[in-house]
Amino acid sequence: LANTKVEEEAIVLVDPDCAYINVVDIPVSEGYPVANAGYYNFPMDEESVETEICLRYCPWCKFFDPIAVPVVIHREDAKKLAPLWLNVTIQIRNDRDNWPSNYTDNTKTVNSLSWVAEMYGYVIAAAMLGLRHEIFAMQGVPGVHKSTPAPFLHYHIGVEMNNFTWNKAREDAATNYVWPVRKDMPLWDPVKERFNLALNDARTSLPPTNHEWKTSYREPEL
């Protein structure tokens, strides 16, 4: 954003495990971003590991919006937020050796901080700027939702198919899915059907990478 002229007023932030399936017609104005609800909360008046994490990096903040992607944000807000988001995320990751054990214990918190540091980075950076989000349902999650009016699919969890569980972390995730789809199959619903259609569209539209993992496919290659 510092070096690129963005003509559009609205910017959509998504994760790599999101797919566009419907038109995104969600107008935003500067100072009023819209986001999907996250799977965590940040109560300020009771004990919470999630709130404790946020206050560790912004002890003066008065709120933390319980949001996640997708986010629709005005470009001017994104210009202010993006560098701060990056810096806070780096600060969180560099502090890893000092994290209390409950920050990475999935029995104590919704998700290990090691897995969602950039999500906390965004929430904290927005709070530092005093930027509040309107929460709006913008995603369908295969395996959770049964209809597809939302503009995005977010396949961040395992999806029970007919005789196996599809998971984005599997090495064969891009090739092992249900095709062709049949609506009479067990465990079937419109969201899973649209999800498999999206997987097939991606596979047939993109060339093979012929990539060979140097280590485990679960580990980033830096």
Side-chain angles (χ1 to χ4, degrees):
L1 290 173
N3 302 309
T4 303
K5 182 175 177 58
V6 178
E7 299 292 342
E8 292 78 11
E9 288 194 351
I11 295 174
V12 178
L13 306 178
V14 294
D15 281 348
D17 56 357
C18 290
Y20 293 89
I21 60 168
N22 284 317
V23 174
V24 182
D25 187 16
I26 303 172
V28 292
S29 55
E30 187 174 356
Y32 299 94
V34 176
N36 204 82
Y39 48 73
Y40 38 38
N41 287 296
F42 304 106
M44 303 298 285
D45 56 353
E46 60 184 75
E47 288 190 7
S48 159
V49 175
E50 290 76 26
T51 305
E52 179 186 330
I53 292 170
C54 289
L55 288 172
R56 181 184 182 92
Y57 302 103
C58 186
W60 63 88
C61 285
K62 302 301 183 184
F63 70 87
F64 302 103
D65 282 346
I67 53 89
V69 296
V71 176
V72 184
I73 186 170
H74 193 276
R75 65 170 179 254
E76 297 303 320
D77 290 328
K79 286 180 183 177
K80 301 170 191 172
L81 182 64
L84 188 57
W85 177 14
L86 175 61
N87 290 337
V88 173
T89 301
I90 292 173
Q91 180 186 0
I92 293 171
R93 292 195 179 281
N94 287 344
D95 190 36
R96 184 168 185 161
D97 290 343
N98 302 312
W99 292 347
S101 60
N102 58 357
Y103 286 17
T104 56
D105 185 345
N106 282 348
T107 67
K108 304 285 181 58
T109 184
V110 176
N111 211 335
S112 170
L113 182 56
S114 60
W115 188 252
V116 292
E118 91 291 345
M119 296 174 66
Y120 277 93
Y122 181 95
V123 168
I124 295 168
M128 289 176 169
L129 295 174
L131 197 60
R132 301 305 306 256
H133 295 70
E134 180 182 356
I135 295 178
F136 189 80
M138 290 189 284
Q139 68 180 20
V141 179
V144 175
H145 300 110
K146 306 300 181 184
S147 60
T148 58
F152 303 94
L153 289 178
H154 193 178
Y155 42 95
H156 59 92
I157 60 174
V159 183
E160 292 296 328
M161 299 298 187
N162 296 307
N163 54 4
F164 71 100
T165 300
W166 184 94
N167 193 296
K168 67 178 183 180
R170 289 172 56 110
E171 192 167 6
D172 63 350
T175 57
N176 186 20
Y177 53 91
V178 176
W179 194 262
V181 296
R182 287 184 17 240
K183 296 182 179 181
D184 61 339
M185 293 188 290
L187 302 177
W188 211 240
D189 58 61
V191 176
K192 288 183 182 179
E193 180 177 353
R194 187 63 184 85
F195 174 56
N196 278 269
L197 176 62
L199 287 173
N200 191 68
D201 284 347
R203 185 183 181 190
T204 55
S205 300
L206 301 172
T209 63
N210 298 318
H211 182 74
E212 295 183 4
W213 297 96
K214 298 175 183 177
T215 54
S216 166
Y217 65 91
R218 291 176 177 269
E219 298 176 11
E221 296 179 343
L222 302 177

